[in-house]
mmCIF file of all heavy atoms in Angstrom:
data_model
loop_
_atom_site.group_PDB
_atom_site.id
_atom_site.type_symbol
_atom_site.label_atom_id
_atom_site.label_comp_id
_atom_site.label_asym_id
_atom_site.label_seq_id
_atom_site.Cartn_x
_atom_site.Cartn_y
_atom_site.Cartn_z
ATOM 1 N N LEU A 161 -26.428 15.793 -60.782
ATOM 2 C CA LEU A 161 -27.488 14.955 -61.312
ATOM 3 C C LEU A 161 -27.327 14.699 -62.793
ATOM 4 O O LEU A 161 -26.703 15.546 -63.454
ATOM 5 C CB LEU A 161 -28.821 15.730 -61.062
ATOM 6 C CG LEU A 161 -29.483 15.531 -59.713
ATOM 7 C CD1 LEU A 161 -28.803 16.513 -58.720
ATOM 8 C CD2 LEU A 161 -31.019 15.916 -59.809
ATOM 9 N N THR A 162 -27.879 13.639 -63.238
ATOM 10 C CA THR A 162 -27.929 13.458 -64.711
ATOM 11 C C THR A 162 -29.204 14.169 -65.141
ATOM 12 O O THR A 162 -30.254 14.075 -64.576
ATOM 13 C CB THR A 162 -28.111 11.964 -65.020
ATOM 14 O OG1 THR A 162 -26.935 11.212 -64.664
ATOM 15 C CG2 THR A 162 -28.334 11.724 -66.510
ATOM 16 N N VAL A 163 -29.075 14.971 -66.238
ATOM 17 C CA VAL A 163 -30.215 15.856 -66.707
ATOM 18 C C VAL A 163 -30.574 15.348 -68.134
ATOM 19 O O VAL A 163 -29.779 15.308 -69.031
ATOM 20 C CB VAL A 163 -29.818 17.274 -66.663
ATOM 21 C CG1 VAL A 163 -31.012 18.087 -67.254
ATOM 22 C CG2 VAL A 163 -29.390 17.700 -65.261
ATOM 23 N N ILE A 164 -31.889 15.077 -68.228
ATOM 24 C CA ILE A 164 -32.485 14.873 -69.562
ATOM 25 C C ILE A 164 -33.365 15.997 -69.912
ATOM 26 O O ILE A 164 -34.299 16.332 -69.048
ATOM 27 C CB ILE A 164 -33.247 13.494 -69.557
ATOM 28 C CG1 ILE A 164 -32.400 12.293 -69.252
ATOM 29 C CG2 ILE A 164 -34.052 13.307 -70.824
ATOM 30 C CD1 ILE A 164 -33.159 11.036 -69.084
ATOM 31 N N GLY A 165 -33.111 16.575 -71.050
ATOM 32 C CA GLY A 165 -34.062 17.678 -71.431
ATOM 33 C C GLY A 165 -35.038 17.268 -72.606
ATOM 34 O O GLY A 165 -34.714 16.533 -73.413
ATOM 35 N N VAL A 166 -36.292 17.634 -72.344
ATOM 36 C CA VAL A 166 -37.278 17.465 -73.384
ATOM 37 C C VAL A 166 -37.789 18.794 -73.893
ATOM 38 O O VAL A 166 -38.380 19.523 -73.145
ATOM 39 C CB VAL A 166 -38.438 16.558 -72.804
ATOM 40 C CG1 VAL A 166 -39.437 16.248 -73.932
ATOM 41 C CG2 VAL A 166 -37.985 15.333 -72.104
ATOM 42 N N THR A 167 -37.455 19.068 -75.131
ATOM 43 C CA THR A 167 -37.611 20.474 -75.626
ATOM 44 C C THR A 167 -37.785 20.447 -77.106
ATOM 45 O O THR A 167 -37.658 19.389 -77.718
ATOM 46 C CB THR A 167 -36.439 21.357 -75.244
ATOM 47 O OG1 THR A 167 -36.682 22.689 -75.569
ATOM 48 C CG2 THR A 167 -35.075 20.904 -75.865
ATOM 49 N N SER A 168 -38.123 21.602 -77.736
ATOM 50 C CA SER A 168 -38.110 21.783 -79.103
ATOM 51 C C SER A 168 -36.804 22.404 -79.540
ATOM 52 O O SER A 168 -36.642 23.681 -79.216
ATOM 53 C CB SER A 168 -39.323 22.584 -79.571
ATOM 54 O OG SER A 168 -39.217 22.861 -80.953
ATOM 55 N N VAL A 169 -35.947 21.788 -80.196
ATOM 56 C CA VAL A 169 -34.674 22.406 -80.581
ATOM 57 C C VAL A 169 -34.848 23.573 -81.516
ATOM 58 O O VAL A 169 -34.014 24.491 -81.522
ATOM 59 C CB VAL A 169 -33.729 21.232 -81.267
ATOM 60 C CG1 VAL A 169 -32.494 21.903 -81.801
ATOM 61 C CG2 VAL A 169 -33.372 20.228 -80.222
ATOM 62 N N ALA A 170 -35.964 23.579 -82.244
ATOM 63 C CA ALA A 170 -36.186 24.688 -83.150
ATOM 64 C C ALA A 170 -36.222 26.034 -82.477
ATOM 65 O O ALA A 170 -35.746 27.056 -82.954
ATOM 66 C CB ALA A 170 -37.558 24.508 -83.852
ATOM 67 N N TYR A 171 -36.628 26.044 -81.178
ATOM 68 C CA TYR A 171 -36.613 27.336 -80.484
ATOM 69 C C TYR A 171 -35.228 27.851 -80.259
ATOM 70 O O TYR A 171 -35.067 29.077 -80.166
ATOM 71 C CB TYR A 171 -37.358 27.165 -79.192
ATOM 72 C CG TYR A 171 -38.886 27.296 -79.208
ATOM 73 C CD1 TYR A 171 -39.645 26.150 -79.543
ATOM 74 C CD2 TYR A 171 -39.534 28.425 -78.885
ATOM 75 C CE1 TYR A 171 -41.019 26.244 -79.640
ATOM 76 C CE2 TYR A 171 -40.906 28.512 -79.003
ATOM 77 C CZ TYR A 171 -41.658 27.383 -79.309
ATOM 78 O OH TYR A 171 -43.031 27.546 -79.379
ATOM 79 N N ALA A 172 -34.312 26.996 -80.070
ATOM 80 C CA ALA A 172 -32.939 27.405 -79.741
ATOM 81 C C ALA A 172 -32.228 28.024 -81.000
ATOM 82 O O ALA A 172 -31.198 28.604 -80.869
ATOM 83 C CB ALA A 172 -32.110 26.229 -79.218
ATOM 84 N N THR A 173 -32.836 27.765 -82.119
ATOM 85 C CA THR A 173 -32.291 28.444 -83.307
ATOM 86 C C THR A 173 -33.121 29.565 -83.900
ATOM 87 O O THR A 173 -32.587 30.324 -84.728
ATOM 88 C CB THR A 173 -32.151 27.297 -84.423
ATOM 89 O OG1 THR A 173 -33.374 26.732 -84.707
ATOM 90 C CG2 THR A 173 -31.126 26.284 -84.012
ATOM 91 N N GLY A 174 -34.354 29.608 -83.488
ATOM 92 C CA GLY A 174 -35.281 30.657 -83.994
ATOM 93 C C GLY A 174 -35.787 31.685 -83.011
ATOM 94 O O GLY A 174 -36.559 32.600 -83.374
ATOM 95 N N THR A 175 -35.314 31.611 -81.773
ATOM 96 C CA THR A 175 -35.716 32.650 -80.804
ATOM 97 C C THR A 175 -34.536 32.968 -79.918
ATOM 98 O O THR A 175 -33.489 32.252 -79.933
ATOM 99 C CB THR A 175 -36.797 32.068 -79.783
ATOM 100 O OG1 THR A 175 -36.216 30.969 -79.007
ATOM 101 C CG2 THR A 175 -37.984 31.562 -80.598
ATOM 102 N N GLY A 176 -34.591 34.023 -79.107
ATOM 103 C CA GLY A 176 -33.540 34.441 -78.312
ATOM 104 C C GLY A 176 -33.674 33.840 -76.830
ATOM 105 O O GLY A 176 -34.737 33.616 -76.299
ATOM 106 N N SER A 177 -32.524 33.566 -76.229
ATOM 107 C CA SER A 177 -32.568 33.042 -74.852
ATOM 108 C C SER A 177 -32.974 34.174 -73.885
ATOM 109 O O SER A 177 -32.679 35.298 -74.075
ATOM 110 C CB SER A 177 -31.165 32.532 -74.489
ATOM 111 O OG SER A 177 -31.092 32.258 -73.034
ATOM 112 N N ARG A 178 -33.712 33.735 -72.896
ATOM 113 C CA ARG A 178 -34.117 34.683 -71.790
ATOM 114 C C ARG A 178 -33.296 34.464 -70.427
ATOM 115 O O ARG A 178 -33.653 34.998 -69.467
ATOM 116 C CB ARG A 178 -35.578 34.620 -71.464
ATOM 117 C CG ARG A 178 -36.507 35.128 -72.657
ATOM 118 C CD ARG A 178 -37.938 34.898 -72.304
ATOM 119 N NE ARG A 178 -38.817 35.451 -73.253
ATOM 120 C CZ ARG A 178 -40.024 35.054 -73.562
ATOM 121 N NH1 ARG A 178 -40.486 33.994 -72.978
ATOM 122 N NH2 ARG A 178 -40.752 35.704 -74.469
#
Side-chain angles (χ1 to χ4, degrees):
L161 279 77
T162 298
V163 178
I164 298 172
V166 186
T167 188
S168 170
V169 172
Y171 277 84
T173 58
T175 67
S177 171
R178 289 176 173 152

